[in-house]
Amino acid sequence: MNEPQDDHDVDRFSADEVQDLLKGLSSQEEHQLLELLAQNGEWNHGPWLPAIAFQEEILEVANAHPHSRCAGIHQLCVLKGPVDPARLRTAWRKLQERHEALRTVFSGTGNQWRQKVTGRTSELAIRGAAIDERAMAETIGRHRAEGFDLAHGPLARAELVLGRENVHILALSWHHSVVDGYSLGVLWDDLCQAYNAPASVPQPLQQGEFTQRQSAYRSARTKEAALTIRSRYPKALERPATARPRPHNVDLGGITLSWDRDQRQALAARADEQSLTLYMLLLAAYRSALETADLLAHDAPVWSPMSGRTSSSLSRSVGLFMNLVPVFAPSEDSNAGEASIQALRQGCIEAFDRQDVPRNDLIELLPELPSASALFVLQNSSTGTSGLAGVQRTMPTPPGIPAAAPVLEFDSPVHGLFPVALSVEFTEEDSLAGVLEYDRSRIDIATAAGVAGHLSALLDKAAAGKFHW
């Protein structure tokens, strides 16, 4: 196929024509064409759009701290079986074509960020190496160090490391501004679909469409939520916490926690007996441990991320739809009985109903709201249920990252830092793994260890049926 001869030829191509042209080019020819397109203005499918509310926070932090975990989410998979590199490379490209978020670029600073979709995709990098822990550490370390170019993209990157005896590494990297935890499972399943049996499937709701929806209602929803919080939780607004400015290099401590499969099942059963979810039970124990150590005021909210997917139409969408919401769930003494259970449950239900209210908007209307009191995360998003045909996938924890991903860098406010966070996730063995993170400049190790010990003791009693909230 003849290549375009000059800039004017390129300018006349429609988006569909460019897609058809790319299919017939080699990777080198494609790269040359995309560079030419970039010189004549980004090829895009629409105008600049405002950023999603939580994107504004992530982008500002990532811009100021380009090597923080806000700037990149990295997954490492070990693949055992015959992988077809060419087939996987095609699937990777189709994945980016399917989800516009992976082809999005950004411009701006502060709360003035804008985004638009381009036609730019990344190529699956392929190399060979002996597959061992050293190769895994080197691969994930290189991806972290490389970073992303927000202005030009692409904001998704993949690398296949081919080893001997059908054992390989697949590294997937995304900028956090275009991918949240929920998206990771969707991306893996769609990648497998494109690899196993390419077929025409309905397009999901795109990130840009969500952006326009949110822009239309975010102001009204925030005012409504602010009025409700002010009238229902006035004491929570009397003692606002002072947020510590984000230092350039965050010094965080971490204490790992774990509960085996039997303990997890017992905790879930105790929660169900009291009409609670496991999330509510873990949150109650966490609040109690923090209050006992005087790290959380009785009426202060605990902030918690929620998916932000308030409609089933977003179930197969990729993007950063998540949001952090204040959970007003005061825990009482163990003898407080049903009243504390009802308060906890109601606070969590209200928070779930407010997950579409942007945190940064809410804090503007309620400046006295403690914006950095404590953070709690139950990471229960799927990492995907599909598999590459004939290939077994395992996901070892990337070197340097605890079993439950640290969240203080991800989810602290733009201009502050939570002093403490608890992150808990399900493991492949169906147990629970957790990390109690804390800011060393404000919490000493003895205090943090006391919180972790109190938390563990409460949950042990709850699992044994000897303690109730």
Side-chain angles (χ1 to χ4, degrees), residues 61-62 64-72 144-147 248 409:
V61 174
H65 307 281
H67 297 296
S68 74
R69 285 184 286 269
C70 278
R144 288 177 186 154
E146 187 171 345
H248 187 72
E409 280 191 81

Side-chain angles (χ1 to χ4, degrees), residues 65 242-248 250 413-417 439 441-442:
H65 307 281
T242 301
R244 178 200 176 201
R246 281 180 182 255
H248 187 72
V250 181
V414 172
H415 301 299
L417 188 69
D439 179 1
S441 70
R442 287 180 287 179

Side-chain angles (χ1 to χ4, degrees), residues 54-72:
F54 199 66
Q55 279 179 329
E56 296 167 359
E57 297 198 44
I58 290 292
L59 287 166
E60 187 170 349
V61 174
N63 194 43
H65 307 281
H67 297 296
S68 74
R69 285 184 286 269
C70 278

Side-chain angles (χ1 to χ4, degrees), residues 385-402:
T385 58
S386 301
L388 302 177
V391 177
Q392 177 186 2
R393 176 186 68 150
T394 58
M395 300 184 68
T397 301
I401 300 294

